[in-house]
Amino acid sequence: MLRSSLIWLSRQKSIFRFVRNNSLAKGFASRFVAGETIDSACTAVAALNAAGISASLDVLGESCTNEGEARETGRMYLEVLDEIARRKLDANVSVKMTALGQDISDAVCEEITRSILERARQYGTFVRLDMEGSDYTQRTLDFFSQRLFTDFPENVGIVLQSMMRRTAQDTAWAVEKQCRVRLCKGAYLEPASVAFPDKRDVDRTFVDCAKVLIEHGRYPGLATHDPAIIAEISAWATSKGIGADRFEYQMLNGVRRDLQEQLVRDGWRLRVYVPFGTQWYPYLMRRLAERPANIWFIAGNVLRETFRRR
Ligand SMILES: Cc1cc2nc3c(=O)[nH]c(=O)nc-3n(C[C@H](O)[C@H](O)[C@H](O)COP(=O)(O)OP(=O)(O)OC[C@H]3O[C@@H](n4cnc5c(N)ncnc54)[C@H](O)[C@@H]3O)c2cc1C
């Protein structure tokens, strides 16, 4: 109930307009979001790199139905790639197809995405196509395989969500294509017709698909903060003599920093997803929905601010 309310709130643009000017909400967002500019984002990436952690930069924004906005987001990604190269950062980028015009037309989206991929190829780096809600799953995989992968096999990859009933099949498909996959659990509210209602099935599918991708796929990214899953996969990989260079763990900026440090200390590869930009509200609400306990973090800040003002 709380989760679905938070996800509903994440879609309310009028609330975002209100929240964007609220210093408290901004303060909370700064735990997860690396500021609103390319400069602040790259500074955050440099700090991660210094701690032995790679990054993936995400220009926040989604569900854009205005071509000008989609082109502007595309242009920002080119700037991000230039800045990553200029500062010699260990980072790639993650993009949301709806932010690049997927809801406008495939032709517009393809033109913008290809311009980003051309730039990524020029720098020898990589672009991850984030996965959104289930309405977009097949469209995104088709778009990827029919319009991008053949021309940019080294520079583009997809995301699969273990909450989706179809993901074991999609994993086999990705292994056959030898395309790069980020596996995550899935952040969107989905009906039981397409997604597992029981979290145990989501977790089991994650572990099963992760093992297939590590053994037979191509350098997968395992995006989770789940300590039990990480322990199981790490122990399994070690027992099979699979080296740390065969896959990477991925986590979100500001989430489970303790676990992030531990993974690096244990010698595993880690990439942190670093979102930035003015459109941070839907992203923040999804993080709250995943872990409503974070609301207490906000409440704590309210109390602290109230007492400080006195
Ligand atoms: C790098 C990366 C990229 C992602 N890309 C996508 C994508 O393209 N599409 C998509 O649908 N989803 C994406 N996600 C989100 C993902 O699907 C999950 O919603 C999210 O990662 C929470 O799931 P979990 O595996 O961490 O485990 P959960 O089972 O949700 O949580 C396990 C443990 O992780 C910790 N934890 C998890 N979330 C939080 C949080 N917000 N705050 C504090 N602690 C937390 C807690 O300790 C919790 O007990 C991505 C996640 C990561 C890390």
Side-chain angles (χ1 to χ4, degrees):
M1 176 63 186
L2 183 55
R3 178 163 189 252
S4 46
S5 308
L6 288 165
I7 288 188
W8 178 83
L9 280 172
S10 77
R11 301 195 190 110
Q12 306 310 307
K13 290 192 173 160
S14 54
I15 297 180
F16 178 36
R17 277 193 290 275
F18 168 76
V19 162
R20 183 153 183 231
N21 298 316
N22 179 293
S23 64
L24 179 65
K26 270 186 144 169
F28 177 67
S30 69
R31 180 191 165 110
F32 300 107
V33 176
E36 294 195 351
T37 65
I38 294 179
D39 185 55
S40 59
C42 285
T43 302
V45 170
L48 287 167
N49 287 175
I53 300 172
S54 312
S56 189
L57 273 170
D58 168 50
V59 179
L60 286 168
E62 44 204 293
S63 304
C64 149
T65 49
N66 170 316
E67 188 175 330
E69 268 176 39
R71 290 193 184 280
E72 175 58 18
T73 303
R75 196 195 53 71
M76 274 194 70
Y77 270 108
L78 300 183
E79 247 184 76
V80 170
L81 287 166
D82 289 344
E83 194 58 15
I84 289 172
R86 196 184 69 76
R87 296 202 198 186
K88 297 188 173 53
L89 296 172
D90 176 4
N92 60 31
V93 295
S94 294
V95 300
K96 283 199 172 39
M97 302 314 289
T98 58
L100 300 182
Q102 194 173 28
D103 289 331
I104 300 167
S105 83
D106 279 350
V108 167
C109 187
E110 180 174 352
E111 190 194 321
I112 299 171
T113 311
R114 287 179 83 93
S115 71
I116 298 170
L117 287 171
E118 295 282 0
R119 191 68 61 95
R121 179 159 61 195
Q122 184 188 323
Y123 292 126
T125 187
F126 183 76
V127 179
R128 178 77 63 183
L129 310 184
D130 282 351
M131 186 58 84
E132 298 175 66
S134 58
D135 290 350
Y136 294 99
T137 311
Q138 193 57 51
R139 282 174 66 188
T140 302
L141 297 183
D142 286 347
F143 191 89
F144 164 79
S145 64
Q146 292 163 14
R147 294 173 183 252
L148 305 175
F149 183 59
T150 312
D151 290 342
F152 301 95
E154 305 301 321
N155 311 98
V156 65
I158 50 170
V159 176
L160 298 177
Q161 300 151 318
S162 70
M163 73 190 292
M164 304 294 290
R165 294 182 188 276
R166 55 179 290 164
T167 289
Q169 234 175 313
D170 289 339
T171 298
W173 173 82
V175 164
E176 201 187 312
K177 283 190 95 63
Q178 284 296 294
C179 61
R180 279 175 62 180
V181 174
R182 170 200 295 152
L183 182 67
C184 67
K185 289 186 187 172
Y188 297 82
L189 202 59
E190 300 290 357
S193 53
V194 297
F196 299 114
D198 188 337
K199 193 168 182 304
R200 278 170 304 189
D201 293 324
V202 178
D203 292 353
R204 182 46 41 205
T205 303
F206 190 102
V207 172
D208 292 347
C209 292
K211 289 178 179 173
V212 171
L213 288 167
I214 293 171
E215 266 201 304
H216 307 292
R218 189 163 155 216
Y219 193 68
L222 308 179
T224 183
H225 316 87
D226 192 323
I229 288 183
I230 290 172
E232 180 172 348
I233 290 172
S234 301
W236 171 83
T238 305
S239 74
K240 292 213 132 215
I242 292 172
D245 58 340
R246 292 265 297 276
F247 65 96
E248 65 186 27
Y249 287 112
Q250 299 186 351
M251 294 193 189
L252 301 176
N253 192 41
V255 175
R256 293 300 309 262
R257 292 190 191 122
D258 55 335
L259 198 52
Q260 296 183 9
E261 286 163 14
Q262 187 61 49
L263 279 179
V264 174
R265 273 199 300 276
D266 291 347
W268 298 105
R269 288 190 181 180
L270 175 66
R271 184 177 303 276
V272 162
Y273 185 95
V274 180
F276 77 97
T278 53
Q279 301 297 309
W280 43 264
Y281 171 73
Y283 179 85
L284 177 67
M285 294 310 281
R286 280 204 301 279
R287 300 290 76 81
L288 281 179
E290 271 158 19
R291 193 166 164 76
N294 281 332
I295 290 170
W296 296 111
F297 178 84
I298 293 186
N301 276 345
V302 173
L303 285 175
R304 261 195 300 280
E305 279 219 346
T306 310
F307 284 115
R308 227 181 279 141
R309 276 199 206 107
R310 285 188 169 173

